[in-house]
Amino acid sequence: MFSYVARRVVYAIPIILSVALVCFLLVHITPGDPLVAVLPADASQELAQQLRVAYGFDKPLPVQFGLWVWRALHGDLGSSIATGRPVLAEVLNAVRNTVMLAVFAAAIGFTLGLFFGLIAGYFRDTWVDKVATSIAIAGVSVPHYWLGMVLVIIFSVQLNWLPAVGAGSGGSAAWAWDWEHMKYLILPAVTTSVIPMGIVTRTVRALTGDILSQDFVEALRAKGLQEFKVFRHVIKNAAPTALAVMGLQLGYMLGGSILIETVFSWPGSGLLLNSAIFQRDLPLLQGTILVLALFFVFLNLLVDIAQASIDPRIKRA
Amino acid sequence: MTVITDTALQAAPVTKARGYWATVGRRISRDKVSMACAVILLLILLAAIFAPYLGLADPYQGSMIRRLRAIGTPNYPLGTDELGRDMLARLIYGGRLSLLIGILPVILAFIIGTSLGLVAGYVGGKLNTAIMRTIDVFYAFPSVLLAIAISGALGAGIVNSIVSLTIVFVPQITRVAESVTTGVRNMDYVEAARASGADTFTIMRVHMLGNVLGSIFVYATGLISVSMILAAGLSFLGLGTKPPEPEWGLMLNTLRTAIYVNPWVAALPGVMIFAVSICFNLLSDGMRSAMDIRN
Amino acid sequence: MTDTLEITDKMLEPLEDIGGDAQPLLHVKGLTKHFPVRGGLFAPSKTVRAVDDVSFAIGKGETVGIVGESGCGKSTTARLLMHLMPRDSGDIVFDGRAVGRELTLRELRRGMQMVFQDSYASLNPRLTIEESIAFGPKVHGMADKTARALARDLLGKVGLRPEVFANRYPHEVSGGQRQRVNIARALALSPRLVILDEAVSALDKSVEAQVLNLLVDLKREFGLTYLFISHDLNVVRYISDRVLVMYLGEVVELGPVDDVWDAPAHPYTRALLAAMPSTDPDNRTEVPPITGDPPNPIEPPSGCRFHTRCAFAEAMCGESKPLLTEITASGHQTACFMAIPGSGHSKAPRAGVQ
């Protein structure tokens, strides 16, 4: 097991470096001068040059990359061109809100997905299966940002039960775990949960179906095992794959929150990314993407290790 | 010489056997859900292509006095948008751009990804490692994040949005193509073809493509569903097409403020995205089960 | 029924017979294939010695059987001979011509064909049976129409009515019929040597017997030479003239099939033969002849590879490797110190006495 973990960690290093390279290069495929956002329209040549040196844009690309990685390793992702604040602090602050949203959404999506998937797989080709698979396919096909709008229309505009946007009075800084604040989380979290719900349902349904058609289940039943105990075997066999899929989905929710956070003005990393793009705040754009991608790589690593620790077939591979 | 015959089955009637694709086609044409989806998609596509001949209102012509009419208003069966333009016309015209930016990236990625995956899977060895490890880097980003990062860096625009989505889908299709190709390549019939002295190109053409393309095609059809949502999403964020072009994602964005006035009109463009996306998903599922002819 | 004359005028011209009957059709010398196994992060990489210094010859018109447990390198040997995977070292000489020097790979593929074990996996599911058989001749320049006609003739030769089977797809026929198709496909290139890699192992017993008889008939009619690989000793005995016993990538015994069956010289061969289930209930096998699983081929035992499971092993067996040595004038060879005169093993005959 130790050697497996060590190997996975070592393999993650080149991936992390490549991810850093992609994030770094993003800025350089950007058309136009990266200084546009900070330079006044009538700035002199000297001022432009000064700023270029200050941001390090005058050095050759490999040197810039090396310096950028070196600083990133020391927790310095530069400062936002728009606000002047350190990028890392801004990103981490926003990521906290996104994690909150993603965890809440995962709780909803995974619970429903597991439930629908298990009953659909268990009662294959019955009406239960048809209903559950229909819900699942709707979940993976729905434009979630539109679903967010529709939920706002129903629960905020028409029924006036829940707030439409934001994170409550005082913004994210004044967040507290009370109803006054938590009601702001409900609509974004439900909206975020539909895709993972659909995918987990489809995965678990397929897994359950496959396992139930295997000979060992037949053998369990033949020896007179009660049906709920057979079911326990099914769950045990489906767990490693289901867990891997859920881990990946959590990663997608963290990294792909931009559309939903934009709809609900939720102060997370997605909204930060949105403003970085439209203010052409390149250090912030670069830093946000890097942090989110690293989160994703780290999560994948955790999923692999967790999967290996519960599935005896993987460790030996 | 005595020929030992497998007598029981030797007596089988002389039949003209159906080809694989004919069997698949027959199976899918019997699947009501797939057929319904195909018809809906075809109608939306044809309406978008022939929009100018359908006698619709001008999708660009607005009017301040008839803004945000409700669904069912005379002359405006689906109401009007925030600038008083006919929603029905804009939804149908909107299909032109929306389908283009949703489907084209998948077609491009299908061509690029299939080529890469075929080469990686068939040649194997170092080339496989080089291609697949590069692909892994793109897998280290969640696809929405990658699409938005590239699109955001390149700047708004239709071409940029198509480029960024293509970049997102190429790794996914390559991975599927590589694994299918590797699977087929290790089949004994490919070994047998090599043993008969055929060159790589002939083996690819006769023995690999037909067995590989089907699965990749089904996967790509399912990807169109994701691509439609993402493409419209990019426009929704303001990274795709620009006003006043009718495009479903952009229409959702500009109508967002209207949800307090006439909410259901504002939700209409999303219905279109949803419909196209779910139809492609169901069609992909239907094709997958139709192609599994062994059951 | 199509007659022989009709078929030969469509068939490709077989590779020319060069050395006459005295020259073996296939001569294999020192064939070796090691697979690298990737080690862990801190473990060095290792190699599997799948085929290790294997040498043998197949005479013209002969049927040579290869037997051994699964994992002993039988199938790897077949694939190496077919040049479906590169070998590490060794020479493969086809009718006096070394492959890669006097004989091109393309020519070799005309001279040598193979039938695989899995009848379903070895036919392209998207091609009709006729198309599958016609593919090979077309690769070698035959016109599509002629190739299809040849395919139909060959279907008749393997006992399948062409009008019933030619246009069918592999999933529409039974396992035995598919294997007949695979045999027809191999014959379509007019080979002189056919490698049958567990070609009847997956079939039902009754169908297996029919296909075996078909193979015997075809061999006579087309003047073929067979290399017959199987783990089923009864089948090998039935069809082979000579047999070759492999253990962990090495040849341990080789000789005329009756000699080997009547007087097995290597303890491994004896154990294999003793393990054969008898059809006579009074003649049941009561003691398990070999204990334990075959050792891991990644780290084969030193010396004689069988010594870890051999009841007669002595110290020398773990130290030095017995070479394949001729023990009778009929060409019966074995690699066991007990059979090598003067080897120093306590059970070995004294030097000079046979």
Side-chain angles (χ1 to χ4, degrees):
Chain A
M1 189 67 204
F2 169 75
S3 126
Y4 176 82
V5 173
R7 203 163 60 219
R8 288 295 296 119
V9 170
V10 171
Y11 287 161
I13 293 171
I15 293 284
I16 290 172
L17 273 179
S18 322
V19 164
L21 183 64
V22 172
C23 292
F24 175 77
L25 289 178
L26 272 179
V27 170
H28 295 275
I29 58 169
T30 308
D33 194 324
L35 289 175
V36 164
V38 268
L39 274 183
D42 55 350
S44 65
Q45 284 293 322
E46 293 87 68
L47 181 60
Q49 188 53 33
Q50 266 175 13
L51 277 168
R52 193 162 284 126
V53 173
Y55 281 100
F57 290 134
D58 58 330
K59 299 192 179 68
L61 272 187
V63 176
Q64 284 190 44
F65 178 61
L67 282 174
W68 184 68
V69 170
W70 180 249
R71 286 201 213 101
L73 284 173
H74 291 81
D76 175 13
L77 291 174
S79 19
S80 158
I81 289 178
T83 64
R85 284 199 293 258
V87 167
L88 189 67
E90 295 244 346
V91 175
L92 289 181
N93 202 23
V95 164
R96 209 194 55 196
N97 291 326
T98 301
V99 169
M100 200 156 78
L101 177 63
V103 169
F104 210 68
I108 304 171
F110 295 170
T111 312
L112 288 177
L114 288 171
F115 175 71
F116 287 141
L118 281 171
I119 60 166
Y122 205 75
F123 299 104
R124 208 163 196 149
D125 299 324
T126 63
W127 65 271
V128 178
D129 180 20
K130 292 211 172 72
V131 171
T133 40
S134 304
I135 295 173
I137 204 149
V140 294
S141 309
V142 72
H144 47 310
Y145 41 92
W146 169 77
L147 180 68
M149 271 174 72
V150 171
L151 291 179
V152 166
I153 290 172
I154 298 172
F155 293 99
S156 308
V157 179
Q158 310 252 336
L159 299 172
N160 205 13
W161 288 355
L162 293 166
V165 293
S169 56
S172 64
W175 179 264
W177 291 102
D178 55 21
W179 174 244
E180 272 317 297
H181 290 89
M182 281 183 53
K183 65 183 181 188
Y184 284 89
L185 194 56
I186 294 175
L187 289 184
V190 168
T191 311
T192 308
S193 75
V194 291
I195 294 179
M197 182 273 293
I199 288 175
V200 171
T201 302
R202 285 166 69 112
T203 311
V204 172
R205 175 185 182 267
L207 282 170
T208 314
D210 285 351
I211 294 165
L212 281 174
S213 66
Q214 278 175 27
D215 291 343
F216 85 92
V217 174
E218 208 61 23
L220 290 178
R221 284 185 179 144
K223 75 172 187 188
L225 205 66
Q226 283 159 301
E227 202 53 31
F228 81 91
K229 284 188 177 158
V230 173
F231 204 68
R232 232 177 44 196
H233 281 272
V234 172
I235 292 176
K236 229 167 102 181
N237 277 279
T241 312
L243 190 90
V245 170
M246 292 194 290
L248 212 59
Q249 286 303 313
L250 189 64
Y252 288 144
M253 283 188 267
L254 284 175
S257 60
I258 179 167
L259 284 155
I260 286 171
E261 290 185 4
T262 305
V263 171
F264 291 100
S265 298
W266 181 258
S269 54
L271 202 61
L272 191 68
L273 197 59
N274 193 340
S275 61
I277 290 171
F278 289 99
Q279 295 170 354
R280 301 223 62 74
D281 191 340
L282 294 173
L284 188 61
L285 177 69
Q286 215 172 28
T288 313
I289 294 169
L290 179 71
V291 171
L292 289 177
L294 289 183
F295 252 101
F296 191 61
V297 173
F298 182 65
L299 207 66
N300 275 329
L301 188 66
L302 278 187
V303 167
D304 276 355
I305 293 169
Q307 202 187 2
S309 68
I310 58 171
D311 190 339
R313 285 168 300 187
I314 294 178
K315 266 176 280 187
R316 313 199 307 149
Chain B
M1 171 192 145
T2 51
V3 174
I4 301 94
T5 50
D6 204 337
T7 35
L9 285 133
Q10 208 41 206
V14 181
T15 47
K16 175 85 184 114
R18 241 180 265 269
Y20 174 79
W21 291 114
T23 312
V24 171
R26 194 168 42 106
R27 283 167 61 111
I28 203 159
S29 67
R30 285 188 189 154
D31 177 9
K32 290 195 196 87
V33 175
S34 300
M35 282 298 106
C37 289
V39 169
I40 292 171
L41 288 174
L42 207 63
L43 283 179
I44 294 176
L45 184 70
L46 289 177
I49 293 172
F50 297 107
Y53 310 103
L54 297 179
L56 297 164
D58 182 345
Y60 298 97
Q61 182 63 53
S63 158
M64 287 323 232
I65 52 165
R66 49 177 165 82
R67 296 191 309 165
L68 291 170
R69 295 284 167 83
I71 295 170
T73 308
N75 293 329
Y76 303 103
L78 294 179
T80 58
D81 74 358
E82 78 285 357
L83 295 177
R85 296 171 294 200
D86 180 41
M87 275 304 280
L88 178 65
R90 283 185 69 79
L91 287 175
I92 289 177
Y93 273 93
R96 300 182 139 198
L97 262 183
S98 294
L99 292 172
L100 178 79
I101 61 176
I103 297 175
L104 191 59
V106 179
I107 294 177
L108 295 174
F110 180 76
I111 296 168
I112 302 169
T114 304
S115 316
L116 285 175
L118 269 175
V119 170
Y122 192 81
V123 179
K126 290 213 172 72
L127 192 61
N128 179 300
T129 312
I131 293 175
M132 298 319 287
R133 289 297 86 80
T134 312
I135 293 301
D136 281 350
V137 174
F138 290 92
Y139 261 85
F141 295 89
S143 45
V144 179
L145 181 67
L146 188 61
I148 283 159
I150 299 170
S151 225
L154 290 174
I158 297 173
V159 175
N160 288 349
S161 130
I162 291 172
V163 167
S164 68
L165 287 175
T166 307
I167 296 176
V168 169
F169 295 132
V170 164
Q172 305 186 12
I173 292 183
T174 306
R175 218 179 233 197
V176 171
E178 191 262 351
S179 89
V180 179
T181 308
T182 308
V184 172
R185 190 204 185 298
N186 292 331
M187 297 296 282
D188 285 344
Y189 63 81
V190 175
E191 294 274 270
R194 287 177 58 213
S196 70
D199 57 59
T200 305
F201 180 76
T202 311
I203 294 176
M204 281 268 197
R205 186 173 53 82
V206 179
H207 293 288
M208 303 283 301
L209 275 183
N211 289 294
V212 164
L213 281 185
S215 320
I216 310 174
F217 183 76
V218 168
Y219 179 77
T221 309
L223 263 192
I224 293 180
S225 159
V226 180
S227 181
M228 286 298 304
I229 296 175
L230 279 185
L234 288 178
S235 291
F236 178 75
L237 288 175
L239 287 171
T241 163
K242 293 193 181 64
E245 287 310 319
E247 194 282 330
W248 298 332
L250 184 64
M251 287 162 73
L252 265 187
N253 184 4
T254 54
L255 282 162
R256 267 174 75 196
T257 47
I259 59 171
Y260 295 98
V261 185
N262 201 337
W264 300 115
V265 169
L268 281 175
V271 175
M272 298 303 289
I273 307 171
F274 191 14
V276 172
S277 166
I278 202 166
C279 283
F280 272 112
N281 248 331
L282 289 168
L283 201 57
S284 167
D285 282 1
M287 286 196 294
R288 183 173 296 127
S289 65
M291 281 171 60
D292 193 7
I293 53 169
R294 280 213 253 182
N295 59 41
Chain C
M1 193 75 261
T2 42
D3 69 354
T4 317
L5 210 93
E6 199 179 321
I7 200 160
T8 37
D9 67 356
K10 287 192 200 89
M11 282 187 93
L12 295 162
E13 196 60 38
L15 285 190
E16 183 192 357
D17 187 341
I18 293 182
D21 283 349
Q23 173 151 281
L25 182 59
L26 187 74
H27 202 149
V28 180
K29 273 178 285 188
L31 190 64
T32 301
K33 177 74 186 177
H34 295 176
F35 293 104
V37 181
R38 251 228 327 245
L41 186 59
F42 306 111
S45 56
K46 296 168 181 158
T47 50
V48 176
R49 296 156 173 270
V51 175
D52 215 0
D53 196 17
V54 165
S55 303
F56 62 93
I58 305 175
K60 285 172 185 163
E62 204 182 15
T63 297
V64 172
I66 300 186
V67 295
E69 287 167 297
S70 50
C72 72
K74 298 179 303 235
S75 286
T76 309
T77 306
R79 272 155 214 264
L80 290 174
L81 295 180
M82 273 316 295
H83 291 72
L84 289 174
M85 56 170 75
R87 57 186 183 274
D88 294 341
S89 60
D91 289 324
I92 296 172
V93 180
F94 189 87
D95 201 4
R97 295 192 283 177
V99 182
R101 290 199 289 274
E102 293 99 345
L103 191 72
T104 65
L105 207 56
R106 211 175 143 81
E107 285 172 314
L108 175 82
R109 261 124 197 206
R110 289 265 319 281
M112 195 196 288
Q113 277 294 301
M114 179 163 167
V115 178
F116 298 83
Q117 171 173 13
D118 185 340
S119 66
Y120 190 77
S122 48
L123 288 171
N124 186 339
R126 306 281 197 271
L127 296 187
T128 61
I129 283 166
E130 177 186 291
E131 286 165 343
S132 274
I133 300 173
F135 176 77
K138 278 161 70 179
V139 164
H140 289 271
M142 192 183 281
D144 182 67
K145 234 181 130 182
T146 327
R148 282 172 187 267
L150 171 65
R152 284 167 172 267
D153 287 352
L154 284 169
L155 276 176
K157 287 288 171 198
V158 296
L160 297 173
R161 275 166 58 202
E163 63 275 24
V164 176
F165 289 94
N167 287 319
R168 290 213 181 161
Y169 286 84
H171 66 271
E172 296 172 319
V173 305
S174 74
Q177 292 165 341
R178 272 199 298 268
Q179 207 56 305
R180 287 166 186 266
V181 173
N182 283 314
I183 293 168
R185 188 245 314 266
L187 294 181
L189 287 174
S190 316
R192 294 175 60 198
L193 174 66
V194 178
I195 300 175
L196 299 144
D197 183 10
E198 302 274 10
V200 296
S201 306
L203 305 178
D204 290 345
K205 275 292 155 200
S206 61
V207 179
E208 182 181 58
Q210 293 177 356
V211 174
L212 279 175
N213 287 333
L214 171 70
L215 287 172
V216 172
D217 289 339
L218 290 172
K219 182 182 171 191
R220 197 169 352 143
E221 186 176 358
F222 290 92
L224 300 170
T225 301
Y226 286 155
L227 178 63
F228 192 93
I229 296 171
S230 180
H231 63 271
D232 186 334
L233 299 171
N234 284 316
V235 170
V236 170
R237 166 142 215 206
Y238 171 76
I239 202 159
S240 309
D241 302 313
R242 284 195 305 133
V243 66
L244 197 147
V245 184
M246 283 185 78
Y247 184 75
L248 287 182
E250 292 181 335
V251 179
V252 295
E253 185 156 1
L254 165 64
V257 74
D258 291 334
D259 291 15
V260 173
W261 249 254
D262 297 342
H266 197 282
Y268 177 64
T269 315
R270 259 178 260 158
L272 270 188
L273 291 173
M276 272 168 71
S278 171
T279 44
D280 178 1
D282 294 330
N283 194 11
R284 274 191 296 248
T285 309
E286 268 155 23
V287 234
I290 329 183
T291 48
D293 293 323
N296 190 345
I298 294 180
E299 290 160 77
S302 59
C304 171
R305 288 188 184 169
F306 187 61
H307 84 266
T308 52
R309 293 163 88 194
C310 180
F312 311 101
E314 295 181 359
M316 66 174 304
C317 298
E319 286 156 12
S320 54
K321 187 188 278 294
L323 298 173
L324 209 55
T325 309
E326 192 141 307
I327 53 171
T328 69
S330 61
H332 190 171
Q333 302 175 23
T334 190
C336 176
F337 289 127
M338 290 195 290
I340 302 173
S343 63
H345 194 285
S346 65
K347 287 192 161 37
R350 263 174 296 142
V353 184
Q354 285 228 344

